Amino acid sequence: QKVPGWGDYLDEGCTHIGSADYDNQDIVLDSTLTEIHRVIEELEEKDGVPVDRIIVGGFSMGAAAAAEGALRYPRRLAGLVMLNGWLLPGARAALGSELVESLPVLVSHGYADEQVGFDCGEMAAEFLREAGAAVRFEVQLGLTHVDSGFGPGRDLAVAFLEEVLCAPIGGDKT
């Protein structure tokens, strides 16, 4: 199934570990990754926002794209937010980078997600932790894809942004 602005889905059903779409690198087009990186660079160059104050995030396939954009960016960002998403092969390959070490990451997922299986969020959190990221994994028991992402997930993302971006730079608490 073709989704405008994205690549092609290979499966009609829920994305799970081992499904064709879980490993479908083409689901996030190169042009999408290029655009994410362009926006980050524009924020820094035109708006004066340092890259270490930029958090990239998304929901569902947008979370997969956000992870690709953040983890494959050549400089360390402030953080990553993944709501009901998964890590594609390119993002998983980038986990070996030293830029991931201590990177603040919020992974939030509905346990009853019928579009992107809970196993995808759980594995994303595990892979990121193993790579040294500072992962907060939040589970919404009984909530489906949209209810989780646009309910508690949204609220958790706002709190995460405030926590990460309002923290003193360099950890100085004075």
Side-chain angles (χ1 to χ4, degrees):
Q1 173 186 355
K2 183 74 172 171
V3 179
W6 303 101
D8 291 332
Y9 272 103
L10 302 174
D11 288 333
E12 292 287 325
C14 184
T15 300
H16 283 284
I17 294 171
S19 70
D21 286 325
Y22 181 76
D23 290 319
N24 180 6
Q25 186 62 49
D26 294 332
I27 210 163
V28 173
L29 300 174
D30 288 340
S31 60
T32 301
L33 183 61
T34 299
E35 181 65 9
I36 293 168
H37 290 177
R38 185 199 66 74
V39 169
I40 293 168
E41 289 165 6
E42 184 175 298
L43 283 168
E44 182 178 32
E45 293 167 11
K46 289 188 177 179
D47 299 321
V49 179
V51 293
D52 63 355
R53 303 295 292 163
I54 297 172
I55 296 175
V56 178
F59 167 72
S60 192
M61 190 191 295
E68 286 283 315
L71 298 173
R72 293 176 62 187
Y73 194 68
R75 294 169 45 206
R76 183 185 167 88
L77 300 174
L80 169 64
V81 173
M82 296 181 65
L83 304 179
N84 299 62
W86 72 102
L87 295 176
L88 290 167
R92 295 193 305 262
L95 292 175
S97 166
E98 63 186 25
L99 300 175
V100 178
E101 184 69 33
S102 301
L103 179 72
V105 179
L106 170 65
V107 177
S108 175
H109 213 102
Y111 193 77
D113 193 323
E114 76 288 4
Q115 297 294 314
V116 179
F118 179 75
D119 58 331
C120 292
E122 191 172 44
M123 187 58 69
E126 183 177 325
F127 281 150
L128 286 156
R129 270 196 193 108
E130 288 173 1
V135 178
R136 178 191 302 171
F137 182 44
E138 298 284 348
V139 179
Q140 290 77 54
L141 293 176
L143 292 185
T144 59
H145 193 64
V146 171
D147 290 341
S148 170
F150 288 95
R154 178 198 59 222
D155 298 338
L156 288 163
V158 169
F160 178 82
L161 292 171
E162 289 174 349
E163 177 185 316
V164 172
L165 295 177
C166 294
I169 296 174
D172 183 13
K173 301 201 187 297
T174 58

